[in-house]
Amino acid sequence: MIVGLTACGSDQKTTQLPRMWGGLVKGIGSGVVKKVGSIAGGADKSATAAAPKAGDTDKVVRGALAATPGPIALVVRESNAAVSAMTPVQTNGGYQTWMSAQGQSITLRGGVLSATRGLGDDLMASEFSTAAAAIHARRPGAYTRTYEHLSGQGENSVLVANCELSKVKSERVAIGEIDANAMILREACKHPAGISFENLYWVDGSGRVVKSRQWVSQSVKYLIVQPLR
């Protein structure tokens, strides 16, 4: 089954990072991209803002946590290091939609990306049940994943990729209220037409994805999702 994102009403509030933090937030986005890029050899190198100081990162994270008592995540667009704070606005059958104050959204199931909206060349829907089971169990394996996008003519275009999941190394993830010893899993995917991409998941001992780098589309490329609590 391919699950996509549908429009919905919600009384939950989104969270916006203060505009005065623009430079700090950009630096944090660049720092996140560079750190993930040290593991993902194919990471986008176009984000060139100066790396943030530890105090700058702490300031933005504390501010984001103070803005909402519930779940919150920083979502970084790898290609330009743009950062959005996103909070959950809807849960439906295990699929949770997170939205920024600007109206951009992602839908996750167990930390695995299912759909996006407002990014341009969005991921309309995807199927990844076998992948999710392997990721949460931190179990290497091979499987197919299905991605659905809109073509230039507004028609659905389905991409079926062959993927292999492997372990990279253990790494501590400590940011905000997250402090976990995680296993980094690399998901290398290829399509017969020559499209290839590489997802990364930081998964703790309970199977929770505490950080990830996930492919959206050929134009948007990757999003880095960092929960803060």
Side-chain angles (χ1 to χ4, degrees):
M1 178 176 65
I2 297 179
V3 177
L5 174 66
T6 58
C8 62
S10 173
D11 58 1
Q12 298 191 45
K13 296 180 180 179
T14 57
T15 300
Q16 185 167 12
L17 299 175
R19 291 185 179 181
M20 69 180 70
W21 293 355
L24 301 183
V25 172
K26 180 70 173 181
I28 288 170
S30 181
V32 169
V33 169
K34 289 177 181 177
K35 186 171 182 179
V36 170
S38 67
I39 299 169
D44 197 296
K45 305 299 191 299
S46 59
T48 57
K53 298 177 181 178
D56 292 345
T57 300
D58 291 342
K59 180 177 180 179
V60 172
V61 170
R62 287 196 306 269
L65 289 171
T68 176
I72 185 170
L74 296 181
V75 179
V76 183
R77 188 162 175 166
E78 186 178 271
S79 61
N80 61 6
V83 183
S84 296
M86 292 194 180
T87 50
V89 295
Q90 184 192 37
T91 300
N92 183 8
Y95 291 84
Q96 191 169 51
T97 298
W98 298 61
M99 186 174 288
S100 71
Q102 294 75 31
Q104 297 173 329
S105 68
I106 62 175
T107 297
L108 305 170
R109 182 180 175 89
V112 182
L113 187 65
S114 169
T116 69
R117 293 295 185 272
L119 301 179
D121 184 14
D122 281 305
L123 174 61
M124 304 306 295
S126 60
E127 199 291 314
F128 52 81
S129 55
T130 303
I135 291 165
H136 296 149
R138 307 198 297 188
R139 181 182 66 245
Y143 43 77
T144 60
R145 291 195 57 168
T146 301
Y147 292 79
E148 188 172 313
H149 303 93
L150 286 180
S151 68
Q153 291 73 40
E155 299 178 351
N156 285 343
S157 173
V158 177
L159 182 152
V160 180
N162 298 311
C163 303
E164 291 190 8
L165 187 71
S166 60
K167 293 182 178 180
V168 179
K169 64 177 182 179
S170 297
E171 183 175 273
R172 181 186 178 197
V173 177
I175 184 169
E177 297 179 11
I178 300 292
D179 191 349
N181 292 316
M183 174 61 67
I184 304 175
L185 302 173
R186 175 182 285 115
E187 185 183 51
C189 299
K190 294 183 179 180
H191 182 269
I195 300 171
S196 63
F197 51 93
E198 182 179 285
N199 298 323
L200 295 171
Y201 306 90
W202 283 252
V203 185
D204 70 11
S206 70
R208 181 187 179 188
V209 178
V210 294
K211 180 180 178 180
S212 65
R213 177 224 195 203
Q214 303 188 56
W215 187 75
V216 174
S217 62
Q218 292 189 75
S219 298
V220 176
K221 300 182 181 179
Y222 297 92
L223 294 180
I224 299 167
V225 181
Q226 177 60 75
L228 298 182
R229 62 162 55 99

